Amino acid sequence: MGIEIEDKFDVPPDYQVPDLSGLADPVRTTTYQLVALYYDTPDLRLARRGITLRRRRGGADPGWHLKLPAARGRLEIARPLTRSVKVVPEDLADLVAGYTRGADLQVVAELDTKRTAIRLGNLVEVADDRVKGTALGREPVRWREVEAEVLDGDEKLLAKVGKRLRKAGATPAAGASKLARLLEPQPLDRVVTKSGSAGEVVMDYLGTQVAAVLSQDPRVRQAEKDAVHQMRVASRRLRSALKAFKAVITGTDHLQDELRWLGQVLGEARDLEVMRARFAGHLRGLAPELLAGPVQARLGDDLHGREQQAHGRIREAMRGERYFALLDGLDRLLAEPELSKRAAAPATGTLRRAAAKGWERVTEAYDEAQAIEEPERLELAMHEVRKAAKRARYTAEALSPVLGKRMAGLASGAKAIQEVLGRHQDGVVAQETLLKEAEVARRAGEDTFTYGLLIGIERARAEQAHADFAGVWKKAGKKVAKSL
């Protein structure tokens, strides 16, 4: 698995690749034949999102290749060749399940490429490709193109190579890939909104968050670091936006419920990951003589085992119809949203009111909490304050690019409240977890001294956050007042 960073160029049939010596030495040239079968659903669900899945023979890297869009370049995942040309390896099929959503994968195209590869040391490779492409049910198409790809070099060298290729007559490729050039997949359906309108701002933001959910899907399936957290945040931001902008976009109650479900599915593994890292940090800070019994194993290996089981439940949910239906619903949200009359109004006034209402919910939740004396009910009420602050923060962050510094101030104030209340809640939850683990250890006849020590640390942290809250609330209130 690696990131593929390359530049593609369209060239005429008689194009002469320029002399590349001097950019890097030595320069080596190799010619070989590549034959690749490309797999997709009948309606090209992968190609429409810039994803390619192929089985390729020939060259230096024969095998199955899955290429996914990344922030820069594409993420390439490779697997060895298998005998079957009909059955996609199960793990690769699973990695694109968030896009195929139960539809069968089949061969949709074949590319037969004669490649002349020019290597500049081991830094950059320039591929001069003469391509014969055959889409299912169509006549073959022939063309020539040139690619320059980073191997073990950097993008500065890639830029120099590209400059020399363009000077010789190459032009930036019109298509993102050979497959896209051959199949010409239709773009994804997206609603058209009035420029500068509230609807445009809201739909652009929702589109960004939907893309974030989908981009994390393959990473979550592989249990990559921070992937669950990133998908969970994107789903929360989506749900928060649908609530905050209900005056602009309507009819999303069911989608909000399903996003809440997705957050819950992801939450168990994420919470265990955070808790395990939290306890590991505490234990590293303790003197060896304070580590009594197998506490490191229980708070490390045991929690890690539970985390892996939670990841298994995530993967099971992400292979199910409910998850696929949610993704279909997000696609429909972007293509056919129920926009209100306010969606056509100028963004500034309409969305500033939405941000102001978000902060009003925070202050209302706080006032309700202050009227409660019972500790358990007060704890729940302050949790509602935190949730309202998070929603206000997400709303303000969504609007900062349009409404500017004022929204940045609101977001900063709401974030400060969210974080101080989060520190308190994390400390309370950590104490509960430690009490349960200590009971398990006690029943096993183990020394529980260290658990008590950790509980004391967590209690002190929670109490400190509680003590800090009044100052944070006052400071945040002043900052938000200037913003609104």
Side-chain angles (χ1 to χ4, degrees):
M1 183 170 62
I3 296 294
E4 177 188 68
I5 299 177
E6 64 181 9
D7 291 330
K8 293 178 176 290
F9 301 91
D10 292 331
V11 298
D14 59 350
Y15 180 76
Q16 295 293 320
V17 177
D19 180 13
L20 299 173
S21 61
L23 294 177
D25 295 314
V27 175
R28 304 191 306 277
T29 302
T30 309
T31 300
Y32 44 83
Q33 203 77 16
L34 303 171
V35 179
L37 296 176
Y38 286 80
Y39 297 76
D40 206 333
T41 62
D43 55 355
L44 304 182
R45 297 182 185 185
L46 301 185
R48 294 182 74 190
R49 296 185 184 274
I51 298 168
T52 59
L53 174 60
R54 74 185 179 205
R55 180 186 186 275
R56 190 168 76 179
R57 294 180 287 110
D61 61 342
W64 289 89
H65 304 138
L66 170 63
K67 296 186 180 183
L68 300 162
R72 174 69 173 102
R74 294 194 292 178
L75 176 67
E76 182 172 1
I77 301 169
R79 296 290 184 268
L81 273 178
T82 57
R83 289 187 178 183
S84 176
V85 298
K86 294 183 178 180
V87 180
V88 175
E90 185 177 355
D91 62 332
L92 293 184
D94 185 59
L95 289 179
V96 296
Y99 304 97
T100 58
R101 300 172 197 174
D104 291 335
L105 288 166
Q106 62 184 43
V107 176
V108 295
E110 179 177 347
L111 292 178
D112 191 338
T113 303
K114 182 179 180 181
R115 169 166 293 180
T116 300
I118 306 168
R119 282 210 171 197
L120 309 182
N122 289 316
L123 304 176
V124 169
E125 180 177 271
V126 175
D128 179 7
D129 291 342
R130 297 174 186 271
V131 186
K132 174 186 174 183
T134 307
L136 192 65
R138 300 187 203 170
E139 291 297 316
V141 180
R142 297 177 185 272
W143 71 91
R144 187 179 175 196
E145 65 179 54
V146 173
E147 301 174 357
E149 180 181 357
V150 173
L151 299 178
D152 194 25
D154 56 38
E155 293 188 50
K156 289 183 179 179
L157 178 58
L158 183 68
K160 290 179 181 179
V161 171
K163 183 178 180 180
R164 194 165 291 190
L165 294 172
R166 289 193 300 274
K167 190 174 181 180
T171 57
S177 67
K178 291 181 177 66
L179 187 67
R181 176 171 182 161
L182 178 64
L183 297 180
E184 298 180 329
Q186 293 297 309
L188 296 170
D189 296 330
R190 292 290 182 265
V191 68
V192 178
T193 51
K194 183 180 177 181
S195 178
S197 67
E200 180 186 49
V201 173
V202 170
M203 293 311 302
D204 284 351
Y205 180 76
L206 293 175
T208 299
Q209 299 311 316
V210 170
V213 169
L214 281 172
S215 69
Q216 294 303 322
D217 178 293
R219 298 186 66 239
V220 170
R221 292 173 189 272
Q222 296 188 107
E224 289 186 30
K225 184 178 180 181
D226 206 40
V228 168
H229 173 58
Q230 294 299 327
M231 180 183 270
R232 189 187 188 193
V233 168
S235 65
R236 282 177 165 177
R237 287 183 180 275
L238 269 171
R239 183 166 171 253
S240 176
L242 294 176
K243 287 180 177 292
F245 302 131
K246 62 184 179 181
V248 174
I249 183 168
T250 63
T252 66
D253 289 350
H254 177 68
L255 201 50
Q256 290 178 41
D257 291 340
E258 293 305 280
L259 287 167
R260 182 173 183 270
W261 164 76
L262 178 59
Q264 292 171 338
V265 168
L266 299 168
E268 183 184 7
R270 172 58 182 171
D271 292 345
L272 286 166
E273 177 188 12
V274 170
M275 200 65 68
R276 182 166 57 87
R278 185 183 185 96
F279 295 154
H282 290 336
L283 292 171
R284 283 195 299 270
L286 295 179
E289 61 270 20
L290 298 179
L291 300 176
V295 62
Q296 289 173 301
R298 286 211 178 274
L299 297 182
D301 295 345
D302 287 3
L303 289 181
H304 186 257
R306 288 168 54 190
E307 184 184 333
Q308 294 305 302
Q309 291 173 359
H311 273 288
R313 288 188 283 274
I314 290 173
R315 285 190 289 271
E316 183 179 355
M318 290 175 65
R319 292 170 182 146
E321 291 301 322
R322 184 173 184 178
Y323 177 66
F324 295 156
L326 168 58
L327 297 182
D328 287 342
L330 294 177
D331 284 347
R332 286 193 298 273
L333 175 74
L334 301 183
E336 301 173 348
E338 295 182 30
L339 296 176
S340 70
K341 292 182 179 179
R342 293 187 186 181
T348 305
T350 301
L351 299 181
R352 183 177 287 122
R353 285 194 293 274
K357 286 182 179 180
W359 180 249
E360 287 174 10
R361 279 187 287 269
V362 179
T363 58
E364 288 170 0
Y366 174 74
D367 290 341
E368 291 177 6
Q370 295 309 294
I372 298 173
E373 296 182 359
E374 185 183 340
E376 290 186 2
R377 287 184 58 225
L378 177 60
E379 190 78 36
L380 292 173
M382 292 304 291
H383 182 58
E384 292 301 314
V385 175
R386 179 179 181 237
K387 287 165 60 178
K390 181 186 293 186
R391 179 174 162 187
R393 169 196 168 188
Y394 286 166
T395 302
E397 288 176 346
L399 301 180
S400 290
V402 180
L403 301 183
K405 292 182 179 180
R406 287 188 171 186
M407 291 300 101
L410 196 162
S412 176
K415 181 180 179 181
I417 293 169
Q418 173 197 338
E419 289 183 342
V420 71
L421 290 176
R423 290 199 300 273
H424 175 75
Q425 183 187 30
D426 290 347
V428 171
V429 173
Q431 290 176 65
E432 294 172 351
T433 302
L434 287 166
L435 283 169
K436 292 178 181 177
E437 292 295 324
E439 177 61 19
V440 173
R442 185 189 65 77
R443 291 179 179 176
E446 298 165 6
D447 191 327
T448 59
F449 168 78
T450 307
Y451 295 95
L453 193 59
L454 295 180
I455 289 170
I457 292 173
E458 292 292 356
R459 181 171 296 156
R461 288 193 172 190
E463 290 174 351
Q464 183 61 55
H466 181 76
D468 291 342
F469 176 77
V472 172
W473 175 263
K474 185 176 181 180
K475 185 177 179 180
K478 291 179 178 180
K479 184 178 290 188
V480 173
K482 291 180 181 178
S483 300
L484 296 177

